[in-house]
Amino acid sequence: QVQLAESGGGLAQAGGSLRLSCAASGNTIRAYNMAWFRQAPGNEREFVAVIRRSGGITNYADSVKGRFTISRDSASNAVYLQMNSLAPEDTATYYCAAGQQITSALRESGMYHTWGQGTQVTVTS
């Protein structure tokens, strides 16, 4: 079973950038659909981005499209989220998730069986 650990969160100014990392252990990330979700206080957890296990196809929430990029590196067995043009509304705890279901519903948190502990991102105006 895979285990996930996020890092790279912190404080950024609006318009700035951060790069989140999700280190996987116990299994190769290529066996999983790997996604990023986020949750702000008082809000539900929301989908941010996913990279499919087959073909590495990516998909993004409309709110981050064109600003965020998800990628994976087999050598380091990690998934990354490059976040550019950050805005205060991006402030949240960001979670990495892994799932193996063959589904088109990869924006649904229920499609993922393993989660990291989360990393906080705070964007100031």
Side-chain angles (χ1 to χ4, degrees):
Q1 186 66 288
V2 68
Q3 295 87 44
L4 305 174
E6 303 95 334
S7 62
L11 188 64
Q13 289 190 328
S17 298
L18 284 173
R19 188 193 193 209
L20 304 184
S21 299
C22 173
S25 59
N27 204 347
T28 173
I29 57 171
R30 287 194 173 270
Y32 302 92
N33 300 312
M34 299 296 298
W36 288 96
F37 285 76
R38 67 186 182 185
Q39 187 168 20
N43 290 357
E44 293 185 355
R45 190 168 297 189
E46 65 172 353
F47 168 79
V48 174
V50 62
I51 184 164
R52 293 177 178 264
R53 63 178 181 174
S54 177
I57 297 170
T58 59
N59 194 258
Y60 298 91
D62 288 345
S63 59
V64 307
K65 197 174 296 182
R67 301 188 298 123
F68 291 11
T69 302
I70 187 171
S71 61
R72 66 186 182 191
D73 180 50
S74 295
S76 58
N77 207 32
V79 176
Y80 304 98
L81 186 68
Q82 178 66 43
M83 305 187 296
N84 298 329
S85 301
L86 283 164
E89 51 265 37
D90 295 318
T91 295
T93 300
Y94 283 71
Y95 298 89
C96 179
Q100 292 184 298
Q101 293 201 43
I102 300 174
T103 176
S104 60
L106 289 177
R107 295 173 179 242
E108 302 298 324
S109 59
M111 297 297 107
Y112 300 89
H113 52 67
T114 301
W115 295 80
Q117 81 287 353
T119 186
Q120 177 66 37
V121 171
T122 302
V123 183
T124 60
S125 57

